[in-house]
Amino acid sequence: MFSVFVGDDWAQDHHDVEIQDQSGRRVAAMRLPEGVAGLARLHALIAEHAGGLEPDQVAIGIETDRGPWVHGLVCAGYRVFAINPRQAARFRERYAISGAKSDTGDAHALADMVRTDAHQLREVAGDSDLAEAIKVLVRAHQNLIWDRTRQVQRLRVGLREYFPVALEAFEDLAGADALELLARAAPDPVMAARLNRTQISGALRRARRNHVELKTERVRTALRSEQLSQPRELSAAFAVVTCSLTALIAGLNTQIAAMHKEVASYFERHPAASIYRAQPGLAAVLSARVLAEFGDDPARYADAKARKNYAGTSPITRQSGMKKTVQARFVHNDRLVDALHRQAQGALTGSPGARDYYDRQRARGLGYQPALRQLANRLVGILHGCLRNGTPYDEDTAWPPRRPLNPSRLRGQPPHR
C-alpha cells in the first residue's frame, strides 16, 4: 500500500524526520523548523525520494493528531498515523532495553512503525472542520468549569480557616448570591453579622433563588451564630483573599455562560445534532462533548465494538495459561468517559429501558460503578447504530421487551445513589 515511510518526532520548535524505503533503508534524515518553511522543506524532501508517487502512498508516523503541522500533512494527501507515545515507547524497546533515547532515534522508530505495523495503527481521523471547532469549544468550556471548581475549593478552604459559618450560610459558593455577599458585604465575620434582611434578600432575588424569605432567615441566622475567630489582622488578610477569589469565580461564571451559548450554537449546526440530542441522558452541551470526542468521520469506527473500545466503556480480557480476568479500561479519553458516565446517570431517569438494563446488572451482583459502566457501554452501541443508519433514537428498538425482572433478586442490593 505504501512506498515511502516517514517518522516525524515533533517538538515545540522543530521536527526530526527520517524517510525510509520499503526495505527499511534510511534514505534521508533531517531536522526541520516548525512552521511554513519547515513543512515546505518536508514536502520537497518527500518529493525528492518518492519518485513521482502519489501522496497517498506516503505514510507518516507522528505522536500527535492535532495542530497546524498535522493539518498541513493531511491536506497534502499523505496518510498520517497518530501514534500513542506509550506505543512508541514500547516499540523503541525493540532496539535497546537500556532506555537510551534520542530525537533521531524516535524518528527512526516512528518510521519503522508505519512501515511494519501501519495496518494495526489508527490513521488520523478525517473529521469535519465543524466537528473540530465543536471540540475546541467544548474542551474550553469544560476547562473553565474545572478552573471554577479549583477556585471554589480554594475559597472553601480559606473560609474554613477564618469564617466557617459562611459554609453553613451558603450552600453554593459559586452562586451569584454567595459571591455578591462575600465580596461586597460580608468578607469577614464582623461585617457579616451586620447584614440585614434587605441586603440578604436582595442578593437572593438577583440570583433568582426560590423561597427567598425562608433562605434569608437561614442565612442571617447562620452568619450571626457564634464561631471561633482568628486575630483581627489575620482575619483581614483572609478577607482580602476571599474578595480576590470571589472576583475570579464571578468572572469564570460569566465566561462559562458565554461559552455555553457558543457550544450550543455550533452544535446545532452539525448534521448529526438531532441524533445525538435524541439519545437518553444527553442534553445540548453533553451531546456536543460526546460528538466532539468521538468525531464525525464515518469511516473512523469499523463497528460498534471499535467505538466502544475507543470510548473506554468496554472491558479488557487478560488471559494467561489457566488465569483469565476481565477488567475495566483505565487508559482512555477522560473527557469522553466523563461525558458517557454522565449520560448513563441521566438515562436512568429518562429511559425505562436503560433503567431496566441497569437493574439487571445490579441483580447480577455488580456494584454501582460497574453497572453504570455497562449501561454506558450499551448506550455507545445504540448511538453507533443510530449514526450508522441515520435514524433517531427509539426506545422500543433500543430496548426490546424482555422477561420481567424478579424483584426478589434485587433484595439486599444497596439503593441507587
Side-chain angles (χ1 to χ4, degrees):
M1 181 181 297
F2 304 114
S3 300
V4 176
F5 307 91
V6 181
D8 186 338
D9 182 63
W10 71 280
Q12 186 173 356
D13 58 353
H14 67 270
H15 296 255
D16 286 279
V17 299
E18 176 176 314
I19 301 179
Q20 296 181 3
D21 59 17
Q22 289 179 319
S23 66
R25 181 175 62 92
R26 184 177 68 181
V27 297
M30 183 177 293
R31 172 166 288 189
L32 304 173
E34 171 72 24
V36 176
L39 192 59
R41 184 69 186 97
L42 177 60
H43 291 329
L45 196 64
I46 293 175
E48 180 182 345
H49 298 280
L53 298 174
E54 294 296 324
D56 62 359
Q57 291 182 277
V58 178
I60 300 179
I62 186 170
E63 292 179 290
T64 182
D65 63 350
R66 58 185 180 273
W69 184 277
V70 174
H71 182 69
L73 295 176
V74 173
C75 290
Y78 304 131
R79 303 287 293 279
V80 183
F81 295 86
I83 299 174
N84 189 291
R86 292 185 62 182
Q87 288 179 292
R90 298 297 181 271
F91 192 90
R92 192 167 54 240
E93 292 177 355
R94 295 173 57 182
Y95 307 114
I97 61 174
S98 62
K101 183 183 183 302
S102 67
D103 293 340
T104 55
D106 288 348
H108 175 74
L110 291 170
D112 260 353
M113 286 188 74
V114 293
R115 181 175 61 86
T116 61
D117 297 308
H119 62 291
Q120 300 186 85
L121 299 174
R122 182 184 295 274
E123 195 170 352
V124 171
D127 294 332
S128 67
D129 293 342
L130 180 56
E132 290 292 340
I134 294 172
K135 180 188 290 187
V136 171
L137 290 173
V138 297
R139 289 190 171 185
H141 179 256
Q142 192 169 38
N143 288 341
L144 288 174
I145 294 174
W146 288 344
D147 288 342
R148 180 179 63 183
T149 301
R150 281 190 285 268
Q151 300 303 331
V152 169
Q153 292 301 330
R154 292 186 179 121
L155 176 60
R156 186 180 302 279
V157 170
L159 292 173
R160 187 178 293 114
E161 290 288 329
Y162 84 108
F163 191 9
V165 297
L167 300 179
E168 301 177 11
F170 306 116
E171 297 177 352
D172 179 15
L173 290 178
D177 51 340
L179 295 175
E180 178 182 341
L181 293 174
L182 286 173
R184 297 180 181 178
D188 63 63
V190 176
M191 295 179 65
R194 299 172 184 167
L195 285 175
N196 56 43
R197 291 184 176 85
T198 302
Q199 291 173 306
I200 297 173
S201 62
L204 291 171
R205 287 192 174 89
R206 284 187 288 273
R208 299 181 179 179
R209 299 295 188 184
N210 297 321
H211 312 293
V212 172
E213 296 302 326
L214 180 63
K215 291 181 178 179
T216 297
E217 191 61 32
R218 183 179 59 80
V219 170
R220 186 167 179 268
T221 301
L223 294 178
R224 295 191 173 195
S225 61
E226 293 184 0
Q227 62 177 328
L228 298 176
S229 61
Q230 295 277 16
R232 182 180 298 274
E233 291 294 330
L234 187 56
S235 181
F238 272 119
V240 172
V241 175
T242 295
C243 290
S244 176
L245 290 175
T246 52
L248 282 174
I249 296 170
L252 286 170
N253 283 342
T254 301
Q255 295 306 314
I256 289 170
M259 193 66 71
H260 184 284
K261 293 180 180 179
E262 293 295 334
V263 169
S265 175
Y266 273 71
F267 172 70
E268 291 301 330
R269 290 161 45 192
H270 197 278
S274 60
I275 294 179
Y276 276 90
R277 198 173 51 251
Q279 301 295 310
L282 287 184
V285 171
L286 203 56
S287 297
R289 288 183 187 175
V290 175
L291 184 152
E293 300 304 333
F294 272 135
D296 62 354
D297 183 356
R300 185 172 187 176
Y301 307 102
D303 50 29
K305 185 175 185 297
R307 189 182 290 269
K308 291 176 180 179
N309 290 344
Y310 179 78
T313 54
S314 60
I316 293 179
T317 301
R318 300 181 185 274
Q319 184 172 1
S320 178
M322 301 292 291
K323 185 177 180 180
K324 180 179 179 180
T325 59
V326 179
Q327 303 173 341
R329 293 176 184 261
F330 293 103
V331 179
H332 46 60
N333 182 333
D334 290 344
R335 295 178 187 268
L336 179 56
V337 166
D338 176 73
L340 295 174
H341 181 83
R342 293 176 183 274
Q343 180 195 3
Q345 289 178 318
L348 289 176
T349 57
S351 167
R355 180 71 211 200
D356 178 71
Y357 183 84
Y358 168 84
D359 288 340
R360 290 177 184 277
Q361 305 311 307
R362 296 303 302 270
R364 290 172 48 206
L366 295 183
Y368 170 71
Q369 290 293 346
L372 204 63
R373 190 163 50 245
Q374 288 276 22
L375 175 58
N377 193 52
R378 179 66 181 270
L379 291 171
V380 170
I382 294 171
L383 172 64
H384 181 83
C386 292
L387 292 172
R388 180 191 58 198
N389 300 323
T391 56
Y393 172 84
D394 180 75
E395 182 76 15
D396 296 332
T397 303
W399 311 99
R402 301 181 64 179
R403 187 175 62 184
L405 185 65
N406 186 355
S408 63
R409 297 189 63 187
L410 290 173
R411 193 170 301 160
Q413 293 289 343
H416 167 63
R417 291 188 292 171

